[in-house]
Amino acid sequence: MWPSVIDMAKQGGLDVIQTYVFWNIHEPMQGQYNFGGRYDLVSFLKLIQSKGLYASLRIGPFIESEWNYGGFPFWLHDIANISFRNNNEPFKFYMQNFTTKIVNLMKQNGLYASQGGPIILSQIENEYKNVEGAYHEQGPLYVNWAASMAVGLNTGVPWMMCKQDDAPDPVINACNGMNCGETFAGPNSPNKPSLWTENWTSQYQVYGGKPYFRSAEDIAFAVAQFIAKNGSFVNYYMYHGGTNFGRTSSAYVTTSYYDQAPLDEYGMIRQPKWGHLKELHAAIKNFSEPLLSGKITNFSLGQLQEARIFEGNSGECVAFLINSDRNKNANVNFRNLRYDLNRRSISILGDCVNVVFDTSRVNVVPNVRSYSTSQKVEKWEAYSDPVLSFSSNASIVSNNLLEHMTTTKDESDYLWYTTSYDHSFNMDAQPKLHVSSRGHVVHVFVNNVYVGSAHGSAQNHGLVFEKAISLKAGKNNISLLSATVGFPDGGAFMERRVAGINSVNIQENSNRKLDLSSREIDLSFYQWAYQVGMLGEKLEIYTPQGAQKVEWTNATSSTHQPLTWYKSYIDAPGGSDPVAIDLNSMGKGQAWINGESIGRFWPSFLTPTGESSQTMYHIPRSFLKPFGNLVILFEEMGGDPAHVSLVNVTVKSAQVA
């Protein structure tokens, strides 16, 4: 998809493609690097240059970005005495090692502008000011070290730190947000340019949350305002939405990412955002000389109105008439002419007389995205992943409840907690099981029978499961499947963050009249056995080879149970339209096409208005062959694959009254 997306970005008037560098993708295991396939950073940057564009490389290596663990590989967590993003020697050693690895890779391929390459900017760290106070006096020491370390790598192009007002010279402080023309105090030194590293075109979406819509007019206003205040670099975050394939999204973030961007998740133009911003970019570029080197004056046109004027040495003139009033239109006098300014709008006067662009007037016809069913996915087969029973001979056994992330080490979303409980207190009692977890999901089984599930949310990761259960006399298996939906992506002291089950107890109350006897049994310090991941994951039954390792049965309504794998085959739809799979009838799980993960699905997690946060899941055409494509779904909760279908994704112009 790279060439077409970059082409459309260029057609939209962009000069620069900005990207993060993903440490956990490129060094998934300590000292083992991966720059192949769609992780080929060098090829990506060379392609950008071949299209005539520049690049901005945000190395981080902490990136946040709603990306799993903020981009950190989990092996970093297990380094002795480490403290992330702190003036901590172990962390600084590995951060410098990876940053140097990336910089040297860029140099070896001649990719910095100082070498004739496309990279004009690099970023070290990421929004550190948000957490710096938590580290007290060590925070500023770390900032100074990170800046000095980066500059010492001698790239020949500037370094920047976003949301770091006190970025040490010569590192440039940059702004992130929706309205940096209003919120940014500006460069902290007169020899630094004004940079906006993230202009949020929407906001990321979480499961259980609704999409955020930001209008083309609002984005255009913010860009024009920033340029009018001497801004020289604006990056859209995101200009192209994307897909969090695999398990790459952070906690509770949907598989679809920034789909409301000017280029949507599928790489298609979203109007009117794309077109309106294209017109703005053209207007600004037409007057680049006075904007970059002209004399700047500004004066008030009213209480919430102002003019900012750029006049070149050869008589060029461009003016920005700004109405910052969010509620009222304004009629202003500028150089003895009257101008009507809509509320919260900017009119750009190309010769300081005639309006060449108005941020509030959209001339582009909106378009609408639609989905058309190309084929219903039929002939499903099923395989039930076994519920784990307690065994004192398990590979992991502990006399307490282990923390989820430290145990799985990000090898799987899933961790089994199992123990054995001897029920002998009162056979007439009505036992109730209470499970508390720090997130994100728990599925409960008693004697291999599914009892129920509970989950947290992006606002409250923790959860409580409480339900009456049936126990037999003697030993009973309590099997709890804990599941994360991505690791955290930010915050101070990330290495201390926790997830998973933290308390389990059974309460037994007598069912007899006048018998008030009861007891509560804390199982938290019983002997627990653990298993990381599902058996199907271990066997890789989502791949064509692995699918042959288990016995599949025809899927019927009776097989729609928790922890079920489903298998079917599809043919690639004709044409070139993007393809998606409609998983609205499923509950929660993960999906693969020909062994390639297309991400987590969770249609059963509804928004407050009763809608699924995401039902359509992108299948890149490069994942498909013409015929016989293997589709694998792992369903945690019992969805119905009979209603799954393949859809073509198209856009068409909307009719405007």
Side-chain angles (χ1 to χ4, degrees):
M1 294 175 65
W2 295 352
S4 62
V5 170
I6 294 171
D7 283 343
M8 283 187 281
K10 184 177 181 179
Q11 291 171 27
L14 269 62
D15 309 292
V16 183
I17 301 295
Q18 180 164 282
T19 182
Y20 276 122
V21 178
F22 304 88
W23 190 355
N24 54 7
I25 288 296
H26 294 305
E27 193 181 4
M29 300 184 70
Q30 188 176 348
Q32 298 182 22
Y33 296 96
N34 180 7
F35 293 97
R38 62 182 192 262
Y39 307 140
D40 189 343
L41 180 60
V42 169
S43 291
F44 181 66
L45 293 166
K46 286 182 175 179
L47 179 61
I48 289 169
Q49 185 175 29
S50 74
K51 300 290 186 179
L53 301 177
Y54 296 110
S56 172
L57 192 66
R58 306 178 80 185
I59 297 176
F62 170 77
I63 63 171
E64 193 164 15
S65 189
E66 296 74 60
W67 188 265
N68 195 49
Y69 217 41
F72 288 152
F74 198 78
W75 58 259
L76 197 67
H77 171 277
D78 294 336
I79 300 297
N81 303 314
I82 200 164
S83 178
F84 295 172
R85 306 176 72 199
N86 199 353
N87 189 36
N88 170 267
E89 293 307 318
F91 178 74
K92 291 192 296 183
F93 173 83
Y94 288 102
M95 173 176 168
Q96 182 169 359
N97 184 66
F98 180 74
T99 304
T100 304
K101 173 78 174 180
I102 297 301
V103 168
N104 287 344
L105 183 64
M106 301 300 101
K107 287 181 177 180
Q108 291 162 12
N109 288 275
L111 292 173
Y112 284 107
S114 56
Q115 303 172 290
I119 303 172
I120 59 172
L121 285 166
S122 295
Q123 180 177 301
I124 194 72
E125 249 296 331
N126 191 79
E127 296 188 346
Y128 188 70
K129 203 69 175 180
N130 291 347
V131 299
E132 185 174 344
Y135 298 97
H136 304 292
E137 71 278 0
Q138 298 301 313
L141 293 175
Y142 167 68
V143 169
N144 288 326
W145 169 84
S148 177
M149 180 270 291
V151 172
L153 294 173
N154 299 315
T155 63
V157 303
W159 286 89
M160 57 186 175
M161 284 181 166
C162 62
K163 276 193 176 181
Q164 193 67 41
D165 297 340
D166 58 353
D169 287 341
V171 176
I172 304 165
N173 59 302
C175 184
N176 287 359
M178 285 190 173
N179 296 290
C180 284
E182 299 172 357
T183 60
F184 187 42
N188 61 20
S189 173
N191 64 337
K192 298 179 183 180
S194 186
L195 308 182
W196 188 355
T197 33
E198 292 186 14
N199 178 7
W200 302 330
T201 57
S202 177
Q203 287 185 342
Y204 66 90
Q205 189 177 357
V206 296
Y207 289 110
K210 300 186 70 173
Y212 179 89
F213 300 97
R214 189 181 183 196
S215 71
E217 299 93 321
D218 189 60
I219 301 171
F221 175 89
V223 173
Q225 184 184 46
F226 188 74
I227 298 296
K229 293 188 176 182
N230 213 27
S232 58
F233 176 90
V234 179
N235 173 72
Y236 296 103
Y237 191 98
M238 304 284 291
Y239 190 78
H240 164 49
T243 306
N244 290 314
F245 297 116
R247 300 168 44 252
T248 55
S249 60
S250 65
Y252 290 98
V253 173
T254 57
T255 296
S256 175
Y257 188 70
Y258 267 83
D259 183 43
Q260 293 296 319
L263 297 176
D264 69 10
E265 176 183 5
Y266 304 95
M268 297 189 297
I269 290 172
R270 184 178 289 282
Q271 299 284 32
K273 281 184 183 178
W274 186 87
H276 192 51
L277 294 175
K278 177 180 180 178
E279 293 178 1
L280 170 62
H281 302 155
I284 291 171
K285 288 181 183 181
N286 281 340
F287 305 100
S288 57
E289 282 300 319
L291 286 172
L292 289 171
S293 57
K295 177 186 175 183
I296 306 172
T297 57
N298 63 283
F299 56 87
S300 173
L301 298 174
Q303 186 175 3
L304 294 172
Q305 296 77 36
E306 64 175 319
R308 302 186 73 88
I309 306 147
F310 298 77
E311 295 179 280
N313 295 327
S314 303
E316 310 98 323
C317 186
V318 60
F320 293 74
L321 306 187
I322 304 171
N323 181 12
S324 297
D325 194 323
R326 293 175 179 269
N327 301 309
K328 296 180 181 179
N329 299 342
N331 181 270
V332 299
N333 185 328
F334 176 69
R335 294 188 173 183
N336 298 319
L337 292 175
R338 306 297 301 188
Y339 294 89
D340 290 318
L341 305 179
N342 289 332
R343 61 184 179 87
R344 189 168 167 77
S345 72
I346 297 177
S347 290
I348 301 176
L349 278 55
D351 49 6
C352 287
V353 175
N354 296 301
V355 177
V356 296
F357 185 82
D358 180 344
T359 62
S360 67
R361 297 186 185 277
V362 177
N363 301 314
V364 180
V365 177
N367 64 9
V368 176
R369 190 171 67 195
S370 61
Y371 303 92
S372 57
T373 300
S374 61
Q375 61 183 282
K376 186 177 179 181
V377 185
E378 299 178 316
K379 297 181 180 178
W380 288 97
E381 294 181 287
Y383 166 73
S384 295
D385 213 290
V387 175
L388 189 69
S389 295
F390 174 78
S391 170
S392 58
N393 297 319
S395 58
I396 306 175
V397 177
S398 176
N399 289 327
N400 61 339
L401 296 166
L402 300 181
E403 195 276 323
H404 184 119
M405 296 188 294
T406 305
T407 308
T408 65
K409 301 188 184 304
D410 200 26
E411 294 175 2
S412 171
D413 283 356
Y414 307 109
L415 178 63
W416 279 108
Y417 294 67
T418 66
T419 193
S420 179
Y421 170 62
D422 194 347
H423 179 49
S424 58
F425 169 61
N426 185 339
M427 303 314 297
D428 293 321
Q430 292 182 322
K432 182 180 290 185
L433 179 65
H434 180 102
V435 179
S436 176
S437 173
R438 295 161 296 197
H440 302 146
V441 181
V442 64
H443 305 298
V444 178
F445 299 81
V446 175
N447 295 323
N448 292 1
V449 176
Y450 178 64
V451 176
S453 301
H455 64 79
S457 67
Q459 294 73 35
N460 182 10
H461 289 191
L463 61 94
V464 172
F465 175 90
E466 191 170 76
K467 190 172 182 179
I469 58 174
S470 296
L471 296 174
K472 62 184 180 181
K475 295 189 179 299
N476 292 263
N477 272 304
I478 308 296
S479 303
L480 310 175
L481 182 61
S482 175
T484 51
V485 189
F487 283 6
D489 69 338
F493 301 105
M494 275 180 59
E495 71 280 359
R496 302 179 188 176
R497 300 289 287 277
V498 293
I501 296 165
N502 59 334
S503 73
V504 182
N505 63 69
I506 291 177
Q507 185 176 23
E508 295 186 344
N509 297 311
S510 175
N511 196 31
R512 296 176 180 174
K513 291 183 179 180
L514 303 180
D515 184 353
L516 303 180
S517 60
S518 66
R519 69 170 183 171
E520 184 172 288
I521 304 94
D522 188 353
L523 304 184
S524 303
F525 298 98
Y526 271 43
Q527 189 176 56
W528 289 83
Y530 297 86
Q531 176 183 291
V532 175
M534 310 304 298
L535 178 60
E537 288 180 295
K538 182 179 180 180
L539 299 176
E540 297 184 344
I541 66 174
Y542 47 82
T543 65
Q545 301 78 19
Q548 301 175 30
K549 297 178 182 179
V550 299
E551 185 174 342
W552 300 84
T553 60
N554 290 331
T556 64
S557 58
S558 62
T559 62
H560 299 163
Q561 301 296 321
L563 312 188
T564 301
W565 297 80
Y566 294 101
K567 179 183 75 168
S568 188
Y569 292 90
I570 58 172
D571 295 333
S576 59
D577 292 331
V579 179
I581 189 168
D582 184 349
L583 298 179
N584 190 44
S585 63
M586 303 304 293
K588 178 185 181 297
Q590 298 180 44
W592 293 262
I593 304 293
N594 293 327
E596 295 277 3
S597 172
I598 60 170
R600 301 182 181 98
F601 60 83
W602 201 352
S604 62
F605 195 161
L606 303 180
T607 69
T609 55
E611 302 165 321
S612 294
S613 297
Q614 183 180 354
T615 60
M616 300 293 178
Y617 292 80
H618 180 202
I619 304 175
R621 280 194 173 266
S622 60
F623 286 7
L624 297 170
K625 54 189 180 181
F627 306 102
N629 297 279
L630 175 65
V631 181
I632 297 287
L633 307 178
F634 175 59
E635 172 57 60
E636 299 173 29
M637 304 171 67
D640 183 0
H643 303 288
V644 169
S645 60
L646 211 60
V647 299
N648 287 342
V649 189
T650 56
V651 292
K652 61 180 180 180
S653 295
Q655 297 297 319
V656 180

